[in-house]
Amino acid sequence: MKSADLLTSAHTESIQAILDKVESSPLGLDESVAQARQKTFGPNQLPEAVSPSIVSIFIRQFKSPLIYVLLLAGVISLAIEAFSDAAFIFVVLLINAGIGLFQEYRAEQSAQALKSLAAGHALVLRGGEVFDVDARILVPGDIVLVESGAKVPADLRLIDSHDLSVDESVLTGESAVAHKDATLSLTAETPLADRDNMLFAGSLVNTGRGRGVVTATGLNTELGKIATSVLGRVATKAPLIVRMEKFTHRITIVTGLVCVLLVGISVTQGASLTSMLLLAVALAVSAIPEGLPVALTVALSVGMERMAKRGVIVRRLVAVEALGSCTYIASDKTGTLTVNQLTVRQIQFPEQDQWGVSGEGLEPEGEIRATTSLDQASADLLVSNLAQTMTLPNEAVLSQRDGQWEGHGDSVDLALLVFAHKAGVSPTQCLNKCPEFAMIPYESERQFAASLNLVDGQLKVFVKGSLERLLPMCNTMRCADGEKDIDPQTITQQAFNLAARGYRVLAAANGLLDIEVNANASHELTTEQLQGLCFVGLVAMSDPPRPEAAMAVANCRAAGITVAMVTGDHPQTALAIAREVGFADKPNEVVTGTQLQEAVSAGQDQFDVLCRGARVFARVEPQQKLQIVESLQRQGHFVAVTGDGANDAPALRAAQVGVAMGMRGTDVAKETSDIVITDDNFSSIVAGIEQGRLAYANVRKVIFLLISTGAAEVILFALALMAGLPLPLLAVQLLWLNLVTNGIQDIALAFEPTEGNELRQPPRPPNQGVFDKVMLQRMLLSAIAMGTVAFGTYYWLLKAGWSVEGARNLVLLLMVMFENLHAFNSRSETQSVFTMNPLKNKLLLFSVIAAQLLHVGAIYTPGLNEVLGLQAINWQEWAAMLVIALSLVLVNEAYKVWRVSRTQSLP
Ligand SMILES: Nc1ncnc2c1ncn2[C@@H]1O[C@H](COP(=O)(O)OP(=O)(O)OP(=O)(O)O)[C@@H](O)[C@H]1O
Ligand SMILES: [Cu+]
């Protein structure tokens, strides 16, 4: 097989013809063949949208209105032949662009790194064995298995399908579900959307199972052919960033007006128009928080990186912000709150006590302790009947490789296979002896799996699943002394007792089907046929809670976040786990899917009342998850919901934070989620919330610093103007001030580490904006303190007989100190600077020290000091300015003390 476009008409060929064409077999390719083909066909991937180069990011920096303003200033300086000023302005311009480049490049980098974490995978059959592989290694001829929730990794001609339906909207744009059938034969003219014996790369499997042979990979797939239109999609900006861009816009306009006013007044007082224009530009540059949107992007992407380290992959930047304001986590049980290592511990047959099963993990070593007066032979018969019924409708694979047991597939199914081994039933032998004719695969909304097998020349069905579903299928039950009429009460009580101990309980049933056996015809198995069966027994599996879950739940409580469990499992099992983990205790905190169903017909209010009191939602169908999320949202909650299956997608989409499981989750769940938890662990969600809150707090710190310092400069100038004094700073001095105090420090604040109290406060009200009362109070207070003190100092210096140049020199030093110290004030809204270790944010410390050194350096650099109008300063003057500057710290400290005492005196 050589040419890539051999197979454009794969849908017209028979399965055998296709397999021949791609030189493959139902057992799949051999590894060596596959590797050779990869050389011919290349990796199965679409070209990535290229990330912008450094050069293009650099060029982009010059496309901002602020830069135009600066350019204008440079040109004006040239026009009035102030060449050194002009040179300085151009240097500032370059440095500003450099800082912007650094910031944007960083944000871009972390976005890229996260993208590569999300590579697709596929189940491939090679040399008769199933492997879970990186989808990029697929080649034409590979046999690929798909199941509900999966994303199709390449174009496939189906060779086998069960109840298979897919969403092909990426390709066809139609959101209707397409039903697929391997047995169809189609004509060449069949349009893409109707090629129902094919699966196309990029489509999502809604229900069922399928198996197909790869006919095209990478750019040769139907998706590849339209790939250019799918690529190049721009990432959406976080709403917070958009709000801040708008905000910056508004400030720009206000500052612009102030500047115009300033120029107007000064000119009427006799200043020269050009020099005033220059100053207006400089003031605008300093006061406008132009770095804000980028600094915020950095803060959010730093949050994103930190979350990635804690196992939380953020798929949309908005989730960083959203995670921070979560008030409710609706979590899965299995694998999230529990370790997802299921082990069969107890089995129970009608009219018998519970029998223990020993052994741990996947190692099929262990025995069944039959506590009974039965003879060995009768006990063995019961056990092997149960083991067989658990083994046949089972999709997991348990195999021994190099002496190690390895499992693949659903963890419930795996535990059952391990149990079968312990019971002396080998799954492979069993399947050879009783070939499978049809199957109803397990889907969580069905709560059972069934298979139709040929046993001793007769067709027999085997069913395993929840007792609630199986009981109505059974008329009789298998006892040691034969088949009897079923006793549903006793069996239900048995299951209840097992569930109350936290076990996940599965029931088994089987029975002969009254159908003519025809080995050649294909048999169908439908749910309607599952009737008149014989109940076999119960299996109880333990799945211990994750050791860290209890701690994480306690953290949630301290953080004012409600935790609840949404599970398809038995209410007793769910409550037992919830008790162990510590978020529910009383039986009335459990609500079942049936109760919810009834409440729906009783009306929305009834439903909301039910949801409000519940901490455990049990026997819930996946579709009900959406109703639960919507009800919680109606009650004002900001909901994070977890999900793993295809049918969790609506709930994941509706919730403010959709959390998909990285290990257990299907592709569909991951694609619709906002964040993915790589280890499926509940405590990772809590860690994500902590980081989300921190990121949001850091965003506030950046905003606080930039706005309050900008406002301070405006106040200083306004006061000087009102007092009729000469302007307190030259244009170049303002630019210098902006350069040494803002560029790096705001970014440094984005890296601020945790204060340790993120999870010890209630969640931020979701509708509360950044500029709440605290923010406004602090900003006004700081800006007024800086502006008036700087003005007072200037005023006093002039009155004391200093020259204007000398006074400006000191005021500039004071402002540099103010703004540098203010960076430390910004580190926390509640904690005193004196209790915060400055080494915890080395970038901030370094940038502040660098700013001071730069300023001192500039004073003694010939040429530069002339341009900036700087003069040497003796140490007394220096110390005096520092003491004055410290007043700002005192004001901020006083505010923190006042606020903390106030919040503590509240109830
Ligand atoms: N592999 C399986 N085969 C047959 N029945 C199963 C299987 N797995 C689970 N069940 C039945 O379906 C019920 C629901 O299980 P499911 O795994 O869907 O719950 P879930 O909603 O995913 O819960 P959790 O939050 O615990 O993951 C179980 O209680 C069990 O009775
Ligand atoms: Cu068998």
Side-chain angles (χ1 to χ4, degrees):
M1 119 144 270
K2 283 184 194 67
S3 164
D5 43 30
L6 253 178
L7 295 164
T8 45
S9 55
H11 59 287
T12 62
E13 315 261 5
S14 74
I15 293 171
Q16 194 52 51
I18 280 291
L19 285 174
D20 289 344
K21 272 203 174 163
V22 296
E23 291 163 32
S24 184
S25 82
L27 287 183
L29 298 173
D30 277 330
E31 193 61 45
S32 54
V33 177
Q35 275 173 14
R37 278 190 197 179
Q38 180 114 61
K39 293 209 180 73
T40 324
F41 293 97
N44 174 35
Q45 70 187 138
L46 299 178
E48 296 245 337
V50 276
S51 57
S53 68
I54 296 201
V55 179
S56 68
I57 300 180
F58 187 70
I59 291 175
R60 198 157 66 203
Q61 302 306 316
F62 291 92
K63 289 182 190 152
S64 92
L66 199 91
I67 297 283
Y68 300 151
V69 171
L70 265 179
L71 267 174
L72 183 73
V75 173
I76 294 175
S77 310
L78 282 180
I80 58 170
E81 297 187 4
F83 293 117
S84 49
D85 279 9
F88 180 73
I89 288 172
F90 286 121
V91 170
V92 167
L93 209 140
L94 276 181
I95 294 178
N96 258 336
I99 292 173
L101 170 72
F102 164 72
Q103 297 171 342
E104 268 193 48
Y105 188 68
R106 256 205 73 92
E108 189 71 41
Q109 288 279 301
S110 56
Q112 285 297 324
L114 289 171
K115 222 185 264 168
S116 62
L117 280 173
H121 74 122
L123 283 181
V124 67
L125 192 67
R126 282 193 179 164
E129 272 193 86
V130 179
F131 297 94
D132 191 343
V133 297
D134 184 334
R136 282 175 299 195
I137 74 161
L138 293 182
V139 292
D142 263 328
I143 306 285
V144 168
L145 285 70
V146 295
E147 56 182 20
S148 52
K151 184 169 170 180
V152 179
D155 284 1
L156 309 173
R157 167 69 164 94
L158 284 169
I159 54 183
D160 197 7
S161 62
H162 282 290
D163 181 28
L164 187 62
S165 67
V166 300
D167 168 0
E168 293 181 333
S169 49
V170 241
L171 278 176
T172 58
E174 288 172 41
S175 53
V177 168
H179 293 273
K180 299 289 179 171
D181 187 348
T183 58
L184 293 176
S185 47
L186 301 169
T187 59
E189 299 82 55
T190 316
L192 198 63
D194 296 333
R195 293 186 191 167
D196 287 339
N197 56 11
M198 299 279 298
L199 287 182
F200 298 105
S203 43
L204 298 166
V205 181
N206 273 328
T207 61
R209 305 284 186 274
R211 178 188 297 243
V213 57
V214 175
T215 57
T217 57
L219 274 175
N220 297 314
T221 60
E222 296 299 329
L223 181 68
K225 289 176 193 159
I226 57 163
T228 35
S229 63
V230 184
L231 293 174
R233 261 181 302 194
V234 267
T236 49
K237 279 184 189 160
L240 178 68
I241 306 283
V242 176
R243 286 204 304 275
M244 281 306 135
E245 275 175 354
K246 283 202 191 119
F247 170 76
T248 314
H249 221 84
R250 257 179 270 143
I251 291 221
T252 309
I253 295 172
V254 172
T255 322
L257 287 178
V258 171
C259 290
V260 169
L261 210 71
L262 212 85
V263 174
I265 296 175
S266 306
V267 170
T268 51
Q269 287 176 349
S272 91
L273 181 66
T274 30
S275 69
M276 280 316 297
L277 273 181
L278 210 56
L279 188 95
V281 167
L283 192 58
V285 172
S286 315
I288 296 170
E290 77 281 1
L292 199 52
V294 184
L296 297 194
T297 311
V298 173
L300 292 185
S301 50
V302 167
M304 214 158 141
E305 277 174 56
R306 287 182 177 161
M307 287 184 187
K309 287 204 188 94
R310 308 284 290 267
V312 180
I313 295 175
V314 176
R315 295 190 61 248
R316 290 185 246 287
L317 207 50
V318 37
V320 178
E321 188 189 347
L323 260 179
S325 37
C326 264
T327 63
Y328 200 107
I329 309 178
S331 171
D332 275 347
K333 176 172 69 68
T334 308
T336 311
L337 289 165
T338 67
V339 292
N340 197 24
Q341 271 158 21
L342 288 134
T343 315
V344 176
R345 300 283 176 195
Q346 306 279 337
I347 55 177
Q348 191 160 28
F349 299 100
E351 301 182 343
Q352 298 291 331
D353 288 335
Q354 297 169 5
W355 299 357
V357 180
S358 66
E360 287 300 326
L362 289 182
E363 204 68 21
E365 306 289 332
E367 54 188 40
I368 294 154
R369 285 179 297 262
T371 45
T372 172
S373 53
L374 285 181
D375 58 286
Q376 190 67 37
S378 322
D380 284 352
L381 218 60
L382 287 176
V383 170
S384 63
N385 187 25
L386 180 64
Q388 187 189 36
T389 312
M390 290 299 186
T391 303
L392 288 171
N394 193 311
E395 290 183 274
V397 186
L398 182 68
S399 58
Q400 205 171 13
R401 221 173 268 173
D402 311 325
Q404 281 283 56
W405 286 93
E406 282 183 2
H408 176 82
D410 183 67
S411 52
V412 169
D413 279 358
L414 267 177
L416 293 173
L417 290 186
V418 174
F419 160 70
H421 272 281
K422 291 174 183 170
V425 171
S426 150
T428 354
Q429 280 173 16
C430 188
L431 203 62
N432 285 339
K433 232 172 66 200
C434 321
E436 182 181 299
F437 273 59
M439 164 101 175
I440 300 179
Y442 170 73
E443 302 275 2
S444 52
E445 65 261 41
R446 260 205 284 273
Q447 290 189 9
F448 70 86
S451 75
L452 179 67
N453 300 65
L454 189 65
V455 185
D456 303 328
Q458 282 181 296
L459 282 177
K460 193 169 179 182
V461 278
F462 296 87
V463 192
K464 69 175 192 348
S466 74
L467 184 64
E468 290 93 320
R469 290 299 157 96
L470 262 67
L471 269 183
M473 302 175 187
C474 300
N475 291 339
T476 56
M477 59 185 187
R478 168 79 52 200
C479 303
D481 48 353
E483 216 169 304
K484 297 185 181 169
D485 278 348
I486 195 159
D487 175 3
Q489 277 79 30
T490 318
I491 297 174
T492 307
Q493 187 60 44
Q494 286 179 340
F496 184 94
N497 291 345
L498 286 167
R501 292 165 62 188
Y503 291 126
R504 163 167 275 203
V505 182
L506 247 67
N510 58 33
L512 290 175
L513 269 205
D514 206 13
I515 332 177
E516 201 59 30
V517 182
N518 182 346
N520 297 321
S522 67
H523 287 274
E524 290 276 318
L525 185 60
T526 60
T527 314
E528 290 73 48
Q529 285 172 289
L530 303 176
Q531 271 177 5
L533 303 183
C534 174
F535 177 79
V536 174
L538 299 170
V539 158
M541 291 169 254
S542 72
D543 182 16
R546 284 180 179 269
E548 59 278 36
M551 185 65 199
V553 165
N555 280 337
C556 283
R557 179 163 309 134
I561 301 165
T562 313
V563 179
M565 174 200 284
V566 183
T567 178
D569 216 339
H570 193 282
Q572 286 305 315
T573 315
L575 181 60
I577 298 288
R579 278 194 180 129
E580 272 187 74
V581 180
F583 59 87
D585 190 36
K586 295 181 278 309
N588 64 7
E589 290 172 312
V590 183
V591 166
T592 64
T594 330
Q595 284 173 292
L596 289 176
Q597 192 62 46
E598 286 160 7
V600 167
S601 30
Q604 209 173 65
D605 293 340
Q606 192 63 38
F607 194 92
D608 289 354
V609 168
L610 208 54
C611 284
R612 185 167 308 141
R615 293 295 172 266
V616 174
F617 298 88
R619 283 288 189 245
V620 165
E621 291 185 17
Q623 300 87 306
Q624 293 184 305
K625 237 186 201 178
L626 176 62
Q627 298 174 323
I628 296 174
V629 167
E630 286 173 346
S631 166
L632 293 170
Q633 288 175 329
R634 276 197 296 276
Q635 297 169 33
H637 275 297
F638 207 83
V639 185
V641 72
T642 66
D644 46 17
N647 36 30
D648 288 333
L652 289 175
R653 213 172 287 129
Q656 278 91 351
V657 184
V659 184
M661 297 298 139
M663 298 197 302
R664 238 168 352 110
T666 57
D667 299 333
V668 174
K670 288 181 198 169
E671 301 243 315
T672 42
S673 67
D674 302 299
I675 62 172
V676 178
I677 303 293
T678 52
D679 57 359
D680 294 9
N681 193 337
F682 178 78
S683 61
S684 299
I685 306 174
V686 182
I689 291 183
E690 182 177 11
Q691 291 301 327
R693 289 184 173 190
L694 173 61
Y696 192 76
N698 287 353
V699 159
R700 288 175 63 97
K701 294 169 195 173
V702 173
I703 293 174
F704 173 62
L705 176 68
L706 285 182
I707 310 264
S708 52
T709 53
E713 288 159 24
V714 176
I715 292 177
L716 167 63
F717 272 75
L719 287 178
L721 211 63
M722 284 193 276
L725 298 182
L727 291 172
L729 292 173
L730 294 172
V732 280
Q733 287 174 333
L734 262 177
L735 287 179
W736 173 256
L737 173 65
N738 190 43
L739 196 66
V740 293
T741 57
N742 278 353
I744 303 290
Q745 277 109 334
D746 58 348
I747 298 294
L749 278 178
F751 286 90
E752 194 57 35
T754 152
E755 288 179 46
N757 60 357
E758 280 75 16
L759 288 182
R760 266 181 265 125
Q761 46 202 345
R764 164 173 58 95
N767 51 6
Q768 173 183 309
V770 173
F771 296 98
D772 57 352
K773 216 171 79 193
V774 175
M775 179 69 117
L776 291 175
Q777 284 175 346
R778 293 181 69 213
M779 277 188 338
L780 271 180
L781 194 69
S782 306
I784 292 176
M786 269 186 276
T788 50
V789 172
F791 168 73
T793 309
Y794 181 59
Y795 184 85
W796 181 83
L797 285 170
L798 290 181
K799 284 276 150 343
W802 286 63
S803 68
V804 176
E805 288 73 32
R808 281 181 181 152
N809 186 36
L810 284 187
V811 169
L812 178 59
L813 177 68
L814 178 63
M815 286 303 284
V816 170
M817 285 175 169
F818 262 152
E819 299 195 6
N820 276 334
L821 285 173
H822 203 44
F824 290 107
N825 284 335
S826 312
R827 287 185 72 195
S828 171
E829 289 183 8
T830 47
Q831 283 194 49
S832 154
V833 261
F834 303 112
T835 61
M836 297 183 80
N837 182 355
L839 290 175
K840 280 242 176 91
N841 190 341
K842 295 209 178 65
L843 183 59
L844 185 67
L845 186 64
F846 162 82
S847 64
V848 165
I849 293 175
Q852 292 296 328
L853 291 179
L854 266 174
H855 192 69
V856 175
I859 292 176
Y860 295 102
T861 307
L864 187 58
N865 54 14
E866 239 161 83
V867 176
L868 290 177
L870 295 177
Q871 301 168 0
I873 295 169
N874 66 30
W875 75 264
Q876 290 96 332
E877 292 160 353
W878 205 85
M881 289 306 126
L882 185 60
V883 169
I884 297 175
L886 281 173
S887 64
L888 179 66
V889 176
L890 290 183
V891 168
N892 272 276
E893 289 294 310
Y895 179 79
K896 285 177 190 173
V897 170
W898 172 73
R899 223 192 111 229
V900 168
S901 70
R902 242 184 57 132
T903 42
Q904 271 165 359
S905 65
L906 291 176

